[in-house]
Amino acid sequence: MNYTSCTTVNDTQSWCSPSFAYTGQRLYCSSTNSIPTSSCGSSSLLNPSSCSQTVPSSNALEFLATPCTIGSVTSISPVAGSAGTAITITGTGFSSTPCENIVQIGSKYDSPIISSTSTQIICRIGNSSSLNGKTEQSVQVSRDRQGYLI
């Protein structure tokens, strides 16, 4: 049988086959193709046309992965600090709405944003952070619902 479109045959959930020839492997279909809501009420989506990309069809199983660069980080200061330290990140493409910027230090710690402009973010290492002060930590900056800045 061919199950390349969503079906409920022999299952209570909608599914499809990842290959033309059904081998028993199933991918479960989404009941909706809406974009997840953001915790930041003002966040906007990346405009694919600004990157010469086209938006996928309304198929719930498609998404757009774009090589579009939304901004960059040029410097981080200071390069070392303890709990309570304010960190200034300079670059391009930041949002002037603080909740649209996400600064992750290490693999799990989201640093609270104090203020932001299109070229600067000031965040702080919280007193209750679980960062290991004896280990170098990576810093990643992203725009809510748009992606990482490089």
Side-chain angles (χ1 to χ4, degrees), residues 53-77:
Q53 300 289 305
T54 56
V55 179
S57 68
S58 60
N59 183 338
L61 300 177
E62 293 181 352
F63 68 97
L64 173 66
T66 177
C68 184
T69 301
I70 59 172
S72 64
V73 173
T74 55
S75 68
I76 300 173
S77 177

Side-chain angles (χ1 to χ4, degrees), residues 18-38:
S19 60
F20 184 78
Y22 180 61
T23 62
Q25 188 176 22
R26 296 179 180 185
L27 295 175
Y28 285 92
C29 303
S30 170
S31 59
T32 177
N33 61 352
S34 64
I35 296 169
T37 58
S38 168

Side-chain angles (χ1 to χ4, degrees), residues 70-76 88-95 117-121 141 149-150:
I70 59 172
S72 64
V73 173
T74 55
S75 68
I76 300 173
T88 301
I89 301 170
T90 308
T92 62
F94 304 148
S95 174
T117 67
S118 63
T119 59
Q120 185 179 74
I121 297 173
V141 179
L149 285 77
I150 53 172

Side-chain angles (χ1 to χ4, degrees), residues 72-138:
S72 64
V73 173
T74 55
S75 68
I76 300 173
S77 177
V79 294
S82 58
T85 299
I87 301 170
T88 301
I89 301 170
T90 308
T92 62
F94 304 148
S95 174
S96 57
T97 304
C99 70
E100 290 185 4
N101 300 299
I102 301 164
V103 175
Q104 187 175 49
I105 302 173
S107 61
K108 298 179 186 174
Y109 182 68
D110 287 341
S111 181
I113 307 291
I114 298 168
S115 65
S116 65
T117 67
S118 63
T119 59
Q120 185 179 74
I121 297 173
I122 299 176
C123 59
R124 184 175 307 279
I125 299 175
N127 291 330
S128 61
S129 80
S130 58
L131 291 170
N132 181 348
K134 297 178 181 180
T135 307
E136 269 189 24
Q137 305 288 339
S138 63

